[in-house]
Amino acid sequence: MTTIGEALVRALEARGVDVVFGIPGVHTVELYRGLAGSSIRHVTPRHEQGAGFMADGFARVSGKPGVAFVITGPGVTNTLTPMGQARADSVPMLVISGVNRRATLGRGLGCLHELPDQLGLTALVARTADRVESAEALAPALDRAFAGFASDRPGPAHIEVPLDVMGLPALPVPAPADAAPVLPDPDAIRRAAAALGQAARPLILAGGGAKQADGALTALAERLDAPVVQTVNARGLMHRHPLAVPASPCLDAVRDLIRAADVVLAVGTEFGPTDYEMYGGAMPVPARLVRIDISAGQLALHPAEIALRGHAEAVLPALTGALPERAPRDGATRAAEALEAARAGLDPVMLPQLAILEAVRDTVPGAIFVGDSTQAIYAGNLIYDHDRPGGWFNAATGFGALGFAIPAAIGAALADPDAPVVCLAGDGGAQFSLPELMTAVDEKLPIAFLIWNNHAYQEIADSMANVGVAVTGCHPTPPDFAAVAQSCAMPFARVPMTPEAVAAALKDLRRPDGPVMIEIEVG
């Protein structure tokens, strides 16, 4: 007999899932019965929040949904924070949990791990939330989750299976159907091409929805001779291209570039305040706006003159094909002048951080950079040109969850074992998820953990001081990171905050079969 728990695992395998992150418990034993006979790799974090962030990092790099198995109650609530980050950043994540027996739900009987309404709780964060109460309900729940990943703005999904259902006999789960591509109306493509083709000063805003479309975006930008402004989640696109503007649209010089455009094409960006209004001031409203987005809801939220619903990697080539050839004008000049002015306008404290990021990039080319909310990430999110599409991401935008970097870097390394991974965290944020270092050791992952140690939550301390509030609670004592690394059998170096010192330590310590730690002394 195949149980529902076993059938669920087989259905995940059929949908291309090859890694799950989870901590087993008495409420998920039947899921693990299925895992034992599958080809799916199980990775054990040290906390369910780590499982969720690992699933997030895995999804961002692999392009496939990251999957977490968690127990009823505290396992689910511990995963809500990663689900919130995944929703904010449109990351496909599937959380599968147990839940108490059907007859007990909502009755307050004091069962182990009981919540008043677990499904109602996750439904507030997840894009879809389903309970499998019978063999017939399994396939529709999976179909709904995976359809959302493919045909709309992705995000977290939750499926829970009651304890008295996991072990019941299963029905065959049909093979997944191929998702039909979402393509815009051909007339909308023609109208968009006409508007952009007639523009004297076209401009492209690239968001995270464009990160899988580097070649198509480059081709369109070159056809239009249009500067391409990149939000945080688009960094790594068009590396060192003369039309690329890898700088935040909240910077004054970049705002001026947007205002001067007569037609703006926005590709896969939600116009969120953490990208466009982070340091005050309203986002400049384009004279004419054309949008590409997979989400009908997003297109309705920020209406455009022309809306093209679809994946960027499908829509961009169609749009390029509808455009006439045009001779280059001043696109590269506009891009270079905006980038130069934006960098010149940075707070000088950001420049040493940028120099270190650039030194690390050049020392470890093609690396995936995964970050927490820390000074180097704040600097890079303002201006930084990464050399790998999709290779720069962090939790300092949108939901802004601390503790993201270490576990997300682990997920990223598992998604692409051939890519070097660099984790960038502060001493404060690292302490949220330090135990996950041992997961990297267990899995022998070649991650370089770079810890900026200023002995503080410095950004918050500065914010308090700037408005006349006594700085309180911002200086938790960091651990001895050398001792932490030693306890993990991890090579370690402590270096001053200079590009030369950090680059030299990376060259000396990096190894192909396990993680290393570099502590960067700040101040």
Side-chain angles (χ1 to χ4, degrees):
M1 179 191 79
T2 299
T3 68
I4 289 175
E6 289 174 303
L8 194 160
V9 172
R10 291 181 187 177
L12 293 177
E13 200 172 12
R15 285 160 174 77
V17 174
D18 50 15
V19 178
V20 300
F21 304 91
I23 300 174
V26 294
H27 281 196
T28 53
V29 167
E30 282 299 328
L31 290 178
Y32 282 80
R33 187 193 302 278
L35 269 181
S38 78
S39 63
I40 295 176
R41 178 179 185 175
H42 182 271
V43 175
T44 306
R46 289 351 187 221
H47 189 280
E48 290 93 356
Q49 179 172 280
F53 285 143
M54 289 177 196
D56 180 304
F58 182 90
R60 294 191 200 224
V61 172
S62 70
K64 301 189 296 186
V67 181
F69 282 3
V70 300
I71 63 165
T72 311
V76 172
T77 55
N78 285 338
T79 315
L80 281 172
T81 294
M83 291 171 71
Q85 189 71 49
R87 183 173 181 122
D89 287 344
S90 301
V91 177
M93 176 191 295
L94 177 57
V95 175
I96 296 175
S97 77
V99 72
N100 291 111
R101 296 176 181 275
R102 289 169 290 179
T104 70
L105 297 178
R107 297 182 61 191
L109 299 176
C111 298
L112 178 67
H113 302 326
E114 184 178 59
L115 283 168
D117 182 2
Q118 180 174 284
L119 193 68
L121 179 65
T122 62
L124 297 173
V125 180
R127 295 201 173 275
T128 65
D130 285 285
R131 179 182 300 142
V132 175
E133 297 197 23
S134 66
E136 293 82 2
L138 177 58
L142 287 166
D143 287 345
R144 199 156 84 95
F146 279 83
F149 299 147
S151 62
D152 205 336
R153 185 184 182 200
H158 173 227
I159 296 174
E160 65 179 24
V161 188
L163 293 181
D164 58 330
V165 173
M166 278 192 195
L168 293 178
L171 294 173
V173 178
D178 292 335
V182 180
L183 296 173
D185 179 70
D187 180 62
I189 291 284
R190 286 192 291 271
R191 289 187 291 112
L196 290 162
Q198 294 165 10
R201 297 178 308 283
L203 181 129
I204 299 172
L205 299 173
K211 67 182 180 181
Q212 303 293 335
D214 185 52
L217 181 68
T218 302
L220 178 64
E222 291 174 347
R223 179 68 60 90
L224 289 171
D225 191 38
V228 181
V229 174
Q230 301 170 4
T231 67
V232 169
N233 283 327
R235 297 297 174 80
L237 294 170
M238 299 177 62
H239 177 56
R240 289 182 175 160
H241 195 287
L243 291 171
V245 184
S248 172
C250 74
L251 296 172
D252 287 342
V254 183
R255 290 178 188 273
D256 291 342
L257 179 67
I258 297 169
R259 289 190 189 98
D262 51 355
V263 181
V264 170
L265 172 65
V267 186
T269 175
E270 67 174 356
F271 295 106
T274 51
D275 273 313
Y276 291 87
E277 302 171 12
M278 188 66 178
Y279 294 97
M283 183 192 78
V285 179
R288 300 180 70 188
L289 179 62
V290 180
R291 290 193 69 191
I292 299 171
D293 204 286
I294 188 60
S295 170
Q298 265 298 316
L299 292 172
L301 187 60
H302 296 284
E305 179 180 323
I306 304 167
L308 306 172
R309 182 170 178 240
H311 288 105
E313 51 267 40
V315 179
L316 289 171
L319 192 52
T320 302
L323 284 165
E325 296 281 354
R326 62 186 282 174
R329 300 183 187 180
D330 61 349
T333 300
R334 288 191 289 140
E337 289 177 349
L339 195 57
E340 182 181 1
R343 187 154 185 148
L346 287 180
D347 185 327
V349 76
M350 295 291 185
L351 298 179
Q353 306 287 357
L354 284 176
I356 289 177
L357 291 177
E358 291 164 350
V360 173
R361 177 198 63 202
D362 296 341
T363 302
V364 193
I368 301 166
F369 281 25
V370 185
D372 237 324
S373 294
T374 193
Q375 290 180 331
I377 292 296
Y378 299 142
N381 283 353
L382 287 175
I383 294 181
Y384 171 66
D385 188 11
H386 197 55
D387 64 349
R388 176 191 176 110
W392 169 272
F393 59 87
N394 55 78
T397 62
F399 201 55
L402 271 174
F404 172 86
I406 291 174
I410 292 168
L414 287 160
D416 189 346
D418 295 327
V421 176
V422 177
C423 173
L424 307 128
D427 60 295
Q431 291 182 73
F432 278 57
S433 50
L434 271 182
E436 304 303 348
L437 292 172
M438 282 307 299
T439 308
V441 173
D442 282 351
E443 300 294 329
K444 298 180 174 57
L445 301 175
I447 303 171
F449 293 102
L450 272 56
I451 311 295
W452 270 254
N453 190 356
N454 58 15
H455 299 256
Y457 297 129
Q458 194 60 52
E459 181 80 2
I460 307 305
D462 291 345
S463 297
M464 287 180 165
N466 289 341
V467 295
V469 174
V471 176
T472 305
C474 293
H475 295 85
T477 302
D480 181 338
F481 285 106
V484 170
Q486 183 179 21
S487 73
C488 298
M490 191 181 296
F492 174 84
R494 180 181 290 117
V495 300
M497 200 184 80
T498 68
E500 297 79 12
V502 175
L506 270 173
K507 289 177 182 176
D508 290 345
L509 262 66
R510 278 185 64 224
R511 55 182 183 154
D513 58 350
V516 303
M517 182 186 294
I518 299 171
E519 179 185 1
I520 301 170
E521 295 185 297
V522 180

